[in-house]
Amino acid sequence: MHHLDLHGPLITDFFWSFLSLVAMRKLLLLSSSSYHGAEGFLGWCGDLLTEFLGKEVSRVLFVPYALFDYNEYTTTVRDRLKQLGYEVDGIHELENPLQAVEQAQAIFVGGGNSFRLLKTMYDHRLVDAVRKRVLQDGMPYIGSSAGTNLSTVSICTTNDMPIVHPPTFEALALVPFNINPHYIDPDPSSTHMGETREKRIREYHMYADRPPVLGLREGSALLVLGDKAVLKGPTGAKLFKPKEEAEVFESGSDVSFLLK
């Protein structure tokens, strides 16, 4: 397995060559598909989804690679998005996944295991294709949990177990930082003796040249439009930078500085 090289050709040559095209970038990065107190799958973010996709999109290409049962996952997403007025094509249902990405109006990458998701994306040669469609063509990208991890610099800040081995941890780099979905604040009353999520992120930042990590609480989302980024949803986020105190941002906060 390759080690993440933040100065390697994937991150530097590609990302900076498309810097002038970020005005096309349109991302909705969900921490989770479910939120305690909200009814049903994607129940907490229906308005966000319809506002994000708008009327220009009628069909969404869904990527279920992060879970084992592609058909069941796609059916769940199809039923929910149909309620919102959108048709869904499962990428695994189509003969040519690469062509499906090239022709998609919008893409939704679902949650599950980030390692399985990234490996399968590389297996089907879809990483470069999705990156190009989003950054060059302005194709809307929705990620949830693992799909949100996929949109960042790497999957190094996922909560998942490495059940398979992708060729690299480098991901789509649609944004120049990492995200930790399902972020949970330390509970001072907890009797749990293992590391907190915050400690895990601090471990990641013990090594040089690591980007910031945005801890997205469940019920939060990051909306990115061009060079603007705003937190959405009923909860906020916590930002971690190497050798700095963590900073809390409430819903509605402008965090566009993360895109610089």
Side-chain angles (χ1 to χ4, degrees):
M1 180 180 295
H2 301 300
H3 295 290
L4 177 67
D5 179 8
L6 295 181
H7 298 294
L10 187 151
I11 300 301
T12 55
D13 295 345
F14 183 91
F15 187 82
W16 295 113
S17 68
F18 283 95
L19 190 60
S20 61
L21 298 172
V22 295
M24 305 286 290
R25 180 172 48 187
K26 189 175 182 182
L27 319 172
L28 181 62
L29 307 178
L30 309 172
S31 177
S32 56
S33 56
S34 300
Y35 174 58
H36 181 72
E39 184 176 351
F41 181 79
L42 297 174
W44 70 273
C45 58
D47 291 343
L48 276 177
L49 290 166
T50 53
E51 181 181 353
F52 177 73
L53 292 172
K55 297 182 178 180
E56 298 81 10
V57 172
S58 59
R59 302 192 73 88
V60 176
L61 180 66
F62 179 62
V63 179
Y65 294 153
L67 287 186
F68 183 76
D69 192 329
Y70 295 169
N71 290 329
E72 181 180 10
Y73 198 5
T74 300
T75 297
T76 300
V77 172
R78 179 175 285 131
D79 291 346
R80 175 57 177 145
L81 291 193
K82 187 174 183 179
Q83 295 174 353
L84 302 177
Y86 302 98
E87 299 296 324
V88 169
D89 296 308
I91 194 169
H92 66 290
E93 300 169 336
L94 304 175
E95 184 175 349
N96 188 325
L98 184 60
Q99 186 178 65
V101 168
E102 293 171 345
Q103 297 177 351
Q105 295 180 16
I107 190 167
F108 180 6
V109 183
N113 187 279
S114 298
F115 293 92
R116 180 183 4 228
L117 170 61
L118 186 62
K119 181 182 186 301
T120 310
M121 292 291 289
Y122 276 114
D123 287 347
H124 290 297
R125 298 180 294 112
L126 298 178
V127 172
D128 288 342
V130 172
R131 187 187 295 116
K132 176 179 179 293
R133 288 298 324 279
V134 174
L135 295 182
Q136 276 193 291
D137 301 341
M139 177 181 67
Y141 179 101
I142 301 169
S144 177
S145 191
T148 289
N149 278 325
L150 183 71
S151 72
T152 68
V153 171
S154 76
I155 63 165
C156 288
T157 53
T158 179
N159 306 311
D160 305 323
M161 292 184 179
I163 61 174
V164 295
H165 296 276
T168 174
F169 293 150
E170 293 174 351
L172 293 173
L174 304 180
V175 293
F177 55 90
N178 273 21
I179 289 176
N180 178 247
H182 305 276
Y183 177 77
I184 301 174
D185 292 290
D187 180 1
S189 65
S190 175
T191 58
H192 176 65
M193 299 303 291
E195 288 83 355
T196 62
R197 194 68 55 78
E198 181 167 344
K199 286 183 178 179
R200 290 297 193 196
I201 295 172
R202 293 300 185 191
E203 288 177 348
Y204 172 73
H205 278 151
M206 288 178 183
Y207 294 87
D209 300 320
R210 294 288 171 89
V213 178
L214 186 65
L216 279 181
R217 298 186 180 102
E218 290 188 350
S220 65
L222 183 68
L223 174 65
V224 178
L225 300 176
D227 61 356
K228 303 295 182 183
V230 180
L231 287 171
K232 297 286 187 177
T235 62
K238 197 169 186 177
L239 178 64
F240 298 88
K241 293 182 179 180
K243 299 179 181 180
E244 294 186 18
E245 291 293 324
E247 189 173 359
V248 174
F249 291 89
E250 302 301 329
S251 179
S253 296
D254 186 329
V255 291
S256 301
F257 63 90
L258 287 171
L259 302 175
K260 306 298 184 185

